Amino acid sequence: MEKFTLEILFQIIGIGSASGLLYKDNSLFIIGDNSGFLYEYNMPNQQLKTHALIDNPAENIPKKLKPDFEALTNFKDTAYIFGSGSTENRNKMIEFDLKTKSVLQKNNMTDLYAVMQSFGTIKPEDFNLEGAIFDGENWYLFNRGNGISNKNTIFTIHAKKLGEEFALIATDYKLPKIKGIRSSFTDAILVEDKIYFLATAENTNSTYDDGEILGSCIGCIDLKTMKIDFTQKITATNKFEGLTLYENAAHTITFLLCEDNDTELLETKIYKLTLDKK
C-alpha cells in the first residue's frame, strides 16, 4: 500500500474529454480525444488559450471522424501529440513548438503503427495508444489493453526521429484487476529513471466503445529492468487519462491528473495526486 492523497485542484470550463496533460512554465497543456486543439491553461492567470492542431478544428468532433489525440509528451520545447491508432483516421502525430505556439510538422503514423502491431502481435482492433514518452533518444509508446486480448504493451523505439531507422522492443504487462476487470494503460511519464503510469479498468472489450468505469490506479516501472515496482488503486469512480509531474520533493512526488468524462460536456477537472516516497 502506497500512501497517497488525491484532491480536486480546479476546474477548467471549455475543455471536454481530456486525455493528456503537460505541465510546463506555470501552464497546463491539455489535449482532448474529441478535439482538434491543444489547450493552454495559464494557472496563475486562469486564462485558457486554444491552438489548432488540424485543419478546420472543432471542440467536439464526431466519434467516427475525430483524430483521437490520446498521448501527449515533450522533449525540451517540442510537444508530440499522438493519435491512438485505433481506427484509420486516428494515425496522426503532431509536433508542436511550445515557445512559438505553432505546429512544426504533421506526421502520418500508419506505417509505424502497422509495424508495431505486427511486432507486438496486436490485432488492429486491439491497438490503442494512450501514452507516450520521449527522452531525446528513446520513445516509449503505451498500448492500452482494453481490447479483447488485453495487450498492455510498452513499445520502446530507439530513434531520435520516428521516421528514421529504429530498433524496436515490445514489453507486455499484466496490470491489476479492479472489480474483476483487468486495468489498462491510459498515460505515462518519465521521472528520472522511473516510469509512472496510470491505468483504468473499464467494462468493455472494445478500443472504440466506452464501458462502465470501475476505477483507476497509478503504478511505477523501473526504467532499467522495465519491471513494475508498485501499483496503487487511487479511485473507484474516475477514468484518469492524463498524468504530468507537478512537484518532485525530497519525501513526496506530486502529479496533476485529468479525466475523460466520455461526454460532450466542455468542462475538465484537474486533480492533484501526492505519493509518499519510500
Side-chain angles (χ1 to χ4, degrees):
M1 175 72 72
E2 302 293 318
K3 291 184 179 179
F4 72 93
T5 58
L6 178 68
E7 58 187 306
I8 297 175
L9 195 59
F10 52 80
Q11 182 169 286
I12 305 173
I13 304 298
I15 305 173
S17 296
S19 56
L21 276 183
L22 169 62
Y23 176 66
K24 185 175 174 62
D25 301 329
N26 290 320
S27 286
L28 263 183
F29 294 90
I30 306 167
I31 52 172
D33 64 18
N34 59 354
S35 173
F37 294 100
L38 174 66
Y39 299 92
E40 179 185 0
Y41 182 75
N42 184 284
M43 289 172 59
N45 299 331
Q46 300 180 1
Q47 292 180 337
L48 181 65
K49 295 179 181 178
T50 57
H51 307 289
L53 295 175
I54 59 174
D55 297 333
N56 304 311
E59 293 183 323
N60 264 324
I61 301 172
K63 191 166 188 172
K64 289 184 178 180
L65 303 175
K66 69 180 185 178
D68 201 31
F69 291 128
E70 289 280 6
L72 169 63
T73 189
N74 77 298
F75 181 69
K76 296 182 178 178
D77 291 314
T78 302
Y80 303 89
I81 300 122
F82 289 81
S84 67
S86 56
T87 66
E88 289 182 5
N89 61 310
R90 300 177 176 185
N91 294 337
K92 293 183 178 69
M93 188 272 275
I94 310 297
E95 298 178 39
F96 186 87
D97 191 309
L98 295 170
K99 279 193 170 181
T100 63
K101 310 297 170 62
S102 61
V103 172
L104 295 171
Q105 191 168 324
K106 299 177 182 179
N107 304 274
N108 187 329
M109 306 294 285
T110 301
D111 291 344
L112 178 60
Y113 284 180
V115 170
M116 292 165 63
Q117 290 170 25
S118 175
F119 187 82
T121 60
I122 298 174
K123 296 177 181 178
E125 61 267 27
D126 290 335
F127 189 75
N128 185 20
L129 294 185
E130 295 232 6
I133 294 169
F134 181 45
D135 64 8
E137 297 284 343
N138 299 286
W139 302 83
Y140 303 90
L141 302 180
F142 294 72
N143 187 70
R144 182 180 180 193
N146 60 333
I148 292 173
S149 62
N150 287 132
K151 290 281 284 188
N152 283 296
T153 303
I154 299 178
F155 292 94
T156 304
I157 303 170
H158 183 66
K160 290 188 177 181
K161 287 185 176 291
L162 285 175
E164 296 178 350
E165 191 173 316
F166 60 86
L168 178 62
I169 299 170
T171 309
D172 294 334
Y173 292 87
K174 184 172 281 190
L175 299 182
K177 287 184 176 181
I178 300 176
K179 297 178 183 175
I181 300 297
R182 185 76 60 192
S183 61
S184 50
F185 289 128
T186 54
D187 204 4
I189 59 169
L190 183 64
V191 182
E192 296 170 349
D193 60 350
K194 302 288 184 182
I195 293 172
Y196 289 88
F197 66 85
L198 290 174
T200 288
E202 194 171 357
N203 197 3
T204 178
N205 286 322
S206 170
T207 61
Y208 187 82
D209 296 318
D210 298 319
E212 180 190 2
I213 298 164
L214 303 175
S216 298
C217 63
I218 192 166
C220 180
I221 294 171
D222 186 280
L223 191 63
K224 293 177 182 176
T225 65
M226 294 301 286
K227 293 183 178 179
I228 294 176
D229 282 347
F230 71 84
T231 59
Q232 172 64 52
K233 182 180 172 182
I234 55 175
T235 176
T237 56
N238 301 89
K239 181 182 178 182
F240 288 127
E241 288 209 2
L243 177 71
T244 188
L245 180 66
Y246 189 50
E247 184 180 43
N248 191 6
H251 301 292
T252 59
I253 185 166
T254 302
F255 307 96
L256 300 182
L257 283 63
C258 66
E259 63 178 331
D260 183 354
N261 50 30
D262 287 334
T263 71
E264 295 186 357
L265 191 65
L266 293 178
E267 61 180 41
T268 291
K269 293 183 179 71
I270 302 298
Y271 294 78
K272 184 169 76 169
L273 172 68
T274 301
L275 297 176
D276 287 351
K277 292 181 177 178
K278 290 184 177 179

